[in-house]
Every structure is written in structure tokens, then in C-alpha cells.
Amino acid sequence: MPRPLPVPTEDEPAFWAGGAAGHLLVHRCRACRNWFHPPAPVCPSCFDRDVGPEPVSGRATVWAATVNHQPWFPSLPPPYVVAIVELAEQPGLRMLTNVVGCDPARVAPGMAVAVEFEPLADEIWLPVFRPSAP
């Protein structure tokens, strides 16, 4: 059984599809240049509607993390890390994700991570993060 698929809103298709080209696409306001996530039709800083997805570096730092030990989905055996990472582009630019490729007990706030993508469906690429050099 595969991971449950997200159901993208009308603002999210680029975010979910960007991984096909290896890009993490995050919404940015063209007026005030503020990055924000999750995608929305209006900038949460200046309320301008001229917003859209732009690629980010994919570098981040773990801001908070927890280890799940419950077997919620057969395709996602525990233990696994659920984390909030802060993207390098802007303080406070955070996203919920999984940290993969290491012992879950090693994941801690301040850990440097980088994005990679898990293909889930034709238009859905799940961004996950793996430990990296700072």
C-alpha cells in the first residue's frame, strides 16, 4: 500500500510537481519578495495577490522533530521522523516533512538537511529531507 496521496488545492500543483525536475518550489510574493509556505493566493505579509512558485535551494535546518512509532501506514513502517524544517532562504520559512536516511534518534534541532523527492504519482513528488553538510 503506497503512502496516502495529498489532494492539492488550486495553489499547490507546482509545489507537488516540482520534484519531477528536482526543484523545491515555494510561493513568493513579487511585491515584497517574502517567501511563504504553504502556497496561498495572497501574500501573508503585504496581502498582495501577485504571488507564485519559485525554486529554493533545498537547504534547510531542522527546527523541531519527533519520532513516530505507530504503524499508521504499511508503506511507512516506523520509526520515522516527522519534522519542521526551516528553509535557508528566509528566517521563519518552515515546512512539515520527513527526515530520511539516518537513525531517527540522531535527528535534532539545528541539524543541516537537504531536500530530495519521493515520487508518489504522476504529478506528486513528496519533498523529504536528508542530513547534509552545513
Side-chain angles (χ1 to χ4, degrees):
M1 175 184 214
R3 280 186 189 236
L5 291 177
V7 178
T9 67
E10 64 185 42
D11 299 305
E12 297 175 339
F15 172 77
W16 294 112
H23 298 294
L24 180 58
L25 299 174
V26 176
H27 262 50
R28 191 172 197 189
C29 178
R30 293 183 183 100
C32 73
R33 305 305 291 158
N34 180 61
W35 297 95
F36 59 96
H37 185 78
V42 175
C43 174
S45 292
C46 73
F47 306 109
D48 200 281
R49 291 185 175 277
D50 189 11
V51 300
E54 293 185 19
V56 294
S57 67
R59 293 178 294 110
T61 303
V62 173
W63 190 76
T66 188
V67 179
N68 179 69
H69 294 279
Q70 299 299 318
W72 299 111
F73 306 103
S75 62
L76 196 56
Y80 59 88
V81 178
V82 178
I84 298 172
V85 299
E86 185 168 81
L87 299 174
E89 279 66 23
Q90 175 182 290
L93 178 59
R94 299 181 186 133
M95 65 184 339
L96 186 65
T97 188
N98 295 120
V99 175
V100 300
C102 69
D103 177 357
R106 274 193 48 225
V107 178
M111 174 184 268
V113 292
V115 74
E116 62 183 52
F117 299 93
E118 291 183 10
L120 299 182
D122 288 340
E123 301 293 320
I124 307 287
W125 290 74
L126 181 69
V128 296
F129 286 77
R130 179 177 295 274
S132 67

